[in-house]
Amino acid sequence: MEKDLVRRLEEAANRFVTPLRMNDGFDEQALLHLQVEIDRCGSAWRNETHVPKRAALILAELSPAIEACAWLYEGDMRQRIQEAGLAVSEAVIVALD
């Protein structure tokens, strides 16, 4: 179960961040899916004594990766990506709180 959660989280993170990094634009559905997977992980690990190392690395790198991608864009798109980064950061905090 744990490996499946980590795999799903990694796939969702890649599905959202990779197109941003490749300057292919913003995928709202991929963002929503990522937030669902973050919530799923939070629910599964809320009462556990640890978070799997790979998941912790993915979650820690999400916000900085999204912020870095924002600088590939201009204007409203940059702001939208930065707001998505904040939303993801907040989702991670809520999930692991």
Side-chain angles (χ1 to χ4, degrees):
M1 168 102 167
E2 187 173 284
K3 287 182 181 181
D4 186 50
L5 283 171
V6 175
R7 178 188 55 77
R8 290 174 63 153
L9 175 63
E10 186 168 26
E11 288 173 359
N14 287 334
R15 181 176 162 208
F16 180 64
V17 175
T18 300
L20 290 177
R21 187 179 301 129
M22 301 304 292
N23 208 9
D24 287 337
F26 186 96
D27 184 342
E28 186 74 35
Q29 289 303 112
L31 173 61
L32 294 174
H33 180 69
L34 175 57
Q35 291 172 314
V36 166
E37 292 304 324
I38 291 169
D39 290 343
R40 185 185 322 273
C41 290
S43 294
W45 299 326
R46 185 159 284 120
N47 296 321
E48 298 296 322
T49 59
H50 74 284
V51 172
K53 184 177 180 178
R54 180 71 189 137
L57 290 171
I58 293 166
L59 294 170
E61 294 172 350
L62 270 173
S63 186
I66 295 168
E67 177 66 26
C69 291
W71 293 99
L72 298 171
Y73 300 84
E74 295 182 6
D76 291 341
M77 183 58 73
R78 179 181 295 165
Q79 182 175 352
R80 186 174 178 197
I81 294 168
Q82 288 171 324
E83 290 170 356
L86 288 173
V88 166
S89 180
E90 290 172 3
V92 170
I93 290 168
V94 168
L96 298 179
D97 190 17

